[in-house]
Amino acid sequence: MDEHLSLPGARLPSPMEEIGDPRLGGARLFLKRDDLIHPGLPGNKWRKLRDNLAEAARRGEDTLLTFGGAYSGHIRATAAAGRLFGFATIGVIRGEEHLPLNPSLAYAAAQGMRLTYMDRTTYRAKHTPEVIARLRAEHGRFHLIPEGGSNARAVRGCAELPAEIEAQGVAFDVICCAAGTGGTLAGIAAGLPPARRALGFSALKGGEFLAGEVERLRREAFGASSDNYGLECGFHFGGYARRTPELDAFAADFAARHGRVLEPVYVAKMMYGVFALAARGAFAPGTRIVAVVTG
């Protein structure tokens, strides 16, 4: 952890718990409960935002601006971080405004975030100098955090996960995580010791592009990449925030068996994928799998 920026009330390291299930074919499954880190900054949010907040403070920037969809957990978390650490926050939301605000945006607004909206064509170019210059002209000076929080600082934050897990006494073979922008997967893969592997499960339809994002983010953060990770793109269930009766039934059964409710946008899809791969024999008996609960 950055000694100059700590999260009041954080539960770190996040707990580990083993889930026994005969459907795993003899593999052992551990949950890394990042969802319990903090009520306002759960999952991978604190790991990705921490060093971005520290950098904003170092530069003397008192406003955070970031991007997200109408149901973005990253928008919620950035708003909460702003409230906790004294930053003004601006959320640039994809698409048109719809009133009343949905629960995610209502929460962000209640944390003090100023919401502004961007048409989808411009949003696709949000990373370009022209769009960023327009935002600076409209909003003044701000510290820019990309959509999903994924940049080199976020990757370095997530790269601490493997060592944290080992320090908790869990010797693992594979770490699994959901993937939306690629930052968490890039960081976990970068932090792996030798002979370990990371496996990401895309929550997006057509998520094959994330492999390129993982490579880009790893190079930006550490100057190099490797082939110690894989990306599963067949468990999106129709696309981002989409659900099917099959996914809902799996999540309900998991809750009944293990008393754990799976967040549906990312975590349920990842967990379904882990069990589906186990059923195909992808994990040898005795394989120790850590699934990071990021939401």
Side-chain angles (χ1 to χ4, degrees):
M1 294 296 294
D2 187 322
E3 64 181 2
H4 302 296
L5 189 64
S6 60
L7 179 62
R11 192 174 180 183
L12 287 166
S14 59
M16 295 283 296
E17 56 186 46
E18 185 168 4
I19 295 292
D21 196 305
R23 296 173 297 173
L24 293 167
R28 297 178 64 186
L29 176 63
F30 300 84
L31 304 185
K32 178 62 168 165
R33 295 295 304 277
D34 271 15
D35 57 316
L36 300 179
I37 287 177
H38 189 275
L41 294 167
N44 54 0
K45 303 299 184 288
W46 172 241
R47 299 186 192 277
K48 295 173 80 173
L49 284 172
R50 184 198 66 191
D51 291 351
N52 280 286
L53 299 172
E55 179 66 9
R58 186 188 70 78
R59 293 183 180 184
E61 295 167 329
D62 60 6
T63 300
L64 310 174
L65 181 144
T66 195
F67 304 89
Y71 291 90
S72 168
H74 169 67
I75 287 289
R76 290 174 56 106
T78 303
R83 171 64 64 86
L84 285 167
F85 291 97
F87 291 97
T89 54
I90 301 168
V92 181
I93 310 303
R94 181 180 63 247
E96 299 177 348
E97 181 180 23
H98 294 281
L99 297 175
L101 297 175
N102 69 41
S104 293
L105 296 184
Y107 174 88
Q111 298 299 306
M113 176 174 273
R114 178 157 50 123
L115 302 175
T116 185
Y117 297 83
M118 182 176 284
D119 69 85
R120 294 174 184 272
T121 299
T122 306
Y123 193 89
R124 285 192 288 272
K126 61 187 178 297
H127 60 285
T128 62
E130 293 80 10
V131 173
I132 294 170
R134 189 188 315 170
L135 289 169
R136 294 197 187 281
E138 181 178 353
H139 299 290
R141 188 182 184 202
F142 56 75
H143 184 81
L144 179 65
I145 300 176
E147 183 176 28
S150 290
N151 59 12
R153 294 184 188 90
V155 170
R156 288 191 285 268
C158 293
E160 298 173 2
L161 253 169
E164 183 176 302
I165 293 167
E166 289 199 317
Q168 291 174 282
V170 176
F172 61 87
D173 300 296
V174 182
I175 300 182
C176 298
C177 69
T181 55
T184 301
L185 177 58
I188 290 173
L192 287 174
R196 307 294 195 276
R197 190 161 180 80
L199 186 58
F201 292 82
S202 174
L204 316 174
K205 188 176 183 178
E208 289 80 5
F209 77 95
L210 288 170
E213 286 296 289
V214 170
E215 293 300 306
R216 178 184 66 81
L217 288 164
R218 285 188 64 172
R219 286 194 300 270
E220 288 181 3
F222 296 105
S225 62
S226 68
D227 60 355
N228 63 349
Y229 75 94
L231 182 65
E232 291 287 336
C233 296
F235 302 103
H236 55 76
F237 292 90
Y240 179 74
R242 300 279 181 91
R243 295 160 63 178
T244 67
E246 182 182 14
L247 180 64
D248 289 345
F250 169 81
D253 179 68
F254 191 91
R257 288 173 183 258
H258 304 298
R260 298 289 179 266
V261 176
L262 300 175
E263 179 274 325
V265 176
Y266 290 102
V267 179
K269 295 178 179 182
M270 171 196 66
M271 201 67 71
Y272 184 104
V274 169
F275 277 79
L277 292 179
R280 299 173 192 170
F283 304 116
T287 299
R288 293 153 298 183
I289 306 164
V290 174
V292 183
V293 182
T294 54

